[in-house]
């Protein structure tokens, strides 16, 4: 069987395939859908991260393809519905990058509170930029976590550890889940009005796209902060620039964007109140090793025995 590995899959995962007798071809991200469609005619499985988009068009000629593996959590770059219609399993590895993603969100929280990127840029430009960079202490501040899954719950735990007050809203948890992990649950409107900082940790779906739009930003406390290190499209980017320029929000940090890579002429790049990172949430050596090996084992088991652990479009049967 043949596996196509795109987007820089960690070598440890590829080794597992080779040891199991699979042929592995490594590729840079394939951005041209027509090229990807031709390529997939010859493969039984494909592993991707976030750069290669697997659309319905890309799957039209994939007559041998049995499984698509996403080395990470989010599968919004894969047309799961089209894959399901063709009988192709879609797998992810959400547990492998939990700590990396949570720590990145926390690092953005500190960077916002103490204006670290602006201070660093000023120093490297030969300045002594103390004026205008008075920071905010996080102990005692209120953190609103949107999404209390693996990553959101880890962020909440770490925030409590530095003395923050934490509450959460989760669009996928019932009201009966209030108090999960000792984190009080609020409605979205309540959380926005309560928090000093809002951080997002939910997948992008039809229901969560632009969950933080202009109305929600204006419902946040004046001078508060917004962090999105989850998925692009959860925050209305145009509205964010507008609300930042008006001074209602003190700042924001984004690790994910509607269009990736972010366009060179994006107005986000020019806003001094924004901290931008290029989708680094899962980019640690530990996380990349973990997700590649977890996913490889799942795909191997599926193709050899039919086990569907880790499938997002099939029941989790052993």
């Amino acid at each position: 069987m043949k596996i196509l590995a795109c987007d820089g899959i960690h070598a440890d995962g590829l080794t597992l395939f080779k040891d199991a007798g699979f042929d592995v071809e490594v590729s840079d991200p394939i951005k041209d859908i027509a090229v990807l469609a031709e390529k997939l005619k010859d493969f039984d499985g494909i592993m991707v991260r976030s750069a290669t988009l697997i659309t319905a068009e890309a799957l039209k000629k994939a007559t041998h393809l049995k499984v698509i593996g996403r080395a990470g959590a989010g599968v919004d770059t894969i047309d799961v519905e089209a894959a399901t219609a063709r009988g192709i399993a879609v797998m992810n590895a959400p547990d492998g990058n939990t700590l990396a993603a949570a720590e990145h969100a926390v690092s953005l929280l500190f960077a916002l509170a103490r204006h670290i990127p602006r201070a660093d840029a000023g120093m490297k430009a030969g300045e002594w930029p103390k004026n205008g960079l008075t920071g905010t202490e996080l102990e005692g501040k209120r953190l609103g976590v949107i999404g209390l899954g693996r990553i959101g719950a880890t962020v909440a735990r770490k925030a409590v550890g530095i003395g923050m007050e934490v509450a959460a809203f989760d669009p996928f948890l019932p009201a009966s889940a209030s108090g999960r992990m000792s984190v009080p649950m609020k409605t979205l409107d309540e959380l926005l009005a309560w928090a000093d900082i809002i951080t997002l940790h939910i997948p992008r779906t039809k229901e969560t796209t632009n969950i933080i739009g202009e109305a929600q930003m204006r419902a946040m406390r004046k001078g508060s902060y917004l962090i999105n290190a989850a998925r692009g499209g959860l925050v209305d980017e145009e509205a964010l620039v507008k609300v930042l320029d008006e001074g209602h929000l003190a700042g924001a940090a984004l690790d994910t964007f509607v269009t990736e890579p972010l366009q060179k002429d994006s107005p986000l790049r020019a806003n001094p109140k924004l901290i931008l990172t290029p989708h680094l949430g899962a980019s640690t050596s530990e996380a990349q090793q973990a997700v590649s090996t977890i996913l490889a084992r799942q795909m191997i088991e599926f193709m050899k025995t039919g086990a569907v652990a880790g499938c997002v479009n099939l029941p989790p049967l052993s």
Side-chain angles (χ1 to χ4, degrees):
M1 290 190 182
K2 296 180 66 178
I3 302 295
L4 177 63
C6 299
D7 306 352
I9 303 297
H10 194 280
D12 285 4
L14 305 184
T15 298
L16 289 177
F17 277 112
K18 293 171 184 176
D19 289 347
F22 289 75
D23 293 326
V24 179
E25 181 175 322
V26 177
S27 169
D28 289 332
I30 302 175
K31 300 295 185 72
D32 189 313
I33 298 300
V35 172
L36 181 59
E38 279 298 315
K39 194 80 171 170
L40 288 180
K41 290 193 303 183
D42 301 322
F43 288 89
D44 300 283
I46 179 172
M47 297 177 78
V48 295
R49 291 178 63 193
S50 57
T52 299
L53 303 182
I54 302 183
T55 64
E57 188 70 22
L59 295 174
K60 281 190 173 180
K61 300 178 181 179
T63 53
H64 297 294
L65 197 67
K66 299 174 181 64
V67 58
I68 300 166
R70 165 69 167 92
V75 292
D76 52 309
T77 56
I78 301 168
D79 191 328
V80 177
E81 187 175 338
T84 304
R86 299 183 68 87
I88 300 168
V90 178
M91 294 182 164
N92 66 350
D95 293 326
N97 59 17
T98 295
L99 189 57
E103 288 186 354
H104 191 66
V106 173
S107 73
L108 293 175
L109 175 61
F110 276 99
L112 277 172
R114 298 308 299 268
H115 310 296
I116 291 172
R118 289 163 61 190
D120 176 71
M123 291 292 287
K124 289 176 178 174
E127 304 167 2
W128 188 255
K130 290 191 66 136
N131 291 337
L133 295 184
T134 301
T136 298
E137 294 179 2
L138 294 175
E139 184 166 343
K141 296 300 188 296
R142 296 172 170 180
L143 180 66
V145 180
I146 298 179
L148 205 59
R150 290 175 297 272
I151 297 170
T154 303
V155 170
R157 175 172 56 83
K158 292 182 178 295
V160 169
I162 60 173
M164 298 188 77
E165 191 177 347
V166 181
F169 162 74
D170 194 309
F172 305 106
L173 287 177
S176 59
S178 181
R180 183 185 184 193
M181 296 186 64
S182 301
V183 177
M185 305 296 288
K186 296 180 180 291
T187 67
L188 180 58
D189 289 343
E190 289 170 343
L191 194 72
L192 296 174
W194 173 85
D196 298 301
I197 305 106
I198 292 289
T199 180
L200 292 112
H201 301 286
I202 50 176
R204 181 182 176 181
T205 65
K206 291 179 181 178
E207 293 75 25
T208 63
T209 297
N210 284 344
I211 190 172
I212 303 296
E214 184 172 348
Q216 287 74 33
M217 292 177 209
R218 296 195 183 283
M220 292 170 65
R221 302 172 72 175
K222 184 173 175 59
S224 57
Y225 294 96
L226 176 65
I227 299 169
N228 180 20
R231 307 304 296 177
L234 301 178
V235 173
D236 184 326
E237 295 173 353
E238 184 177 346
L240 177 60
V241 172
K242 180 180 178 181
V243 173
L244 286 170
D245 286 344
E246 291 176 3
H248 182 71
L249 295 183
L254 302 177
D255 184 51
T256 55
F257 307 89
V258 174
T259 301
E260 296 185 1
L262 184 65
Q263 308 95 314
K264 290 184 178 180
D265 60 351
S266 169
L268 296 173
R269 293 183 184 271
N271 195 292
K273 294 181 180 179
L274 266 171
I275 295 174
L276 308 177
T277 55
H279 206 145
L280 296 178
S283 292
T284 66
S285 56
E286 296 91 344
Q288 290 310 306
Q289 190 273 343
V291 295
S292 73
T293 55
I294 291 169
L295 185 62
R297 289 189 183 101
Q298 290 174 179
M299 292 174 68
I300 290 167
E301 283 300 305
F302 174 73
M303 286 186 279
K304 287 197 167 185
T305 71
V308 293
C311 275
V312 302
N313 60 342
L314 288 169
L317 304 174
S318 64

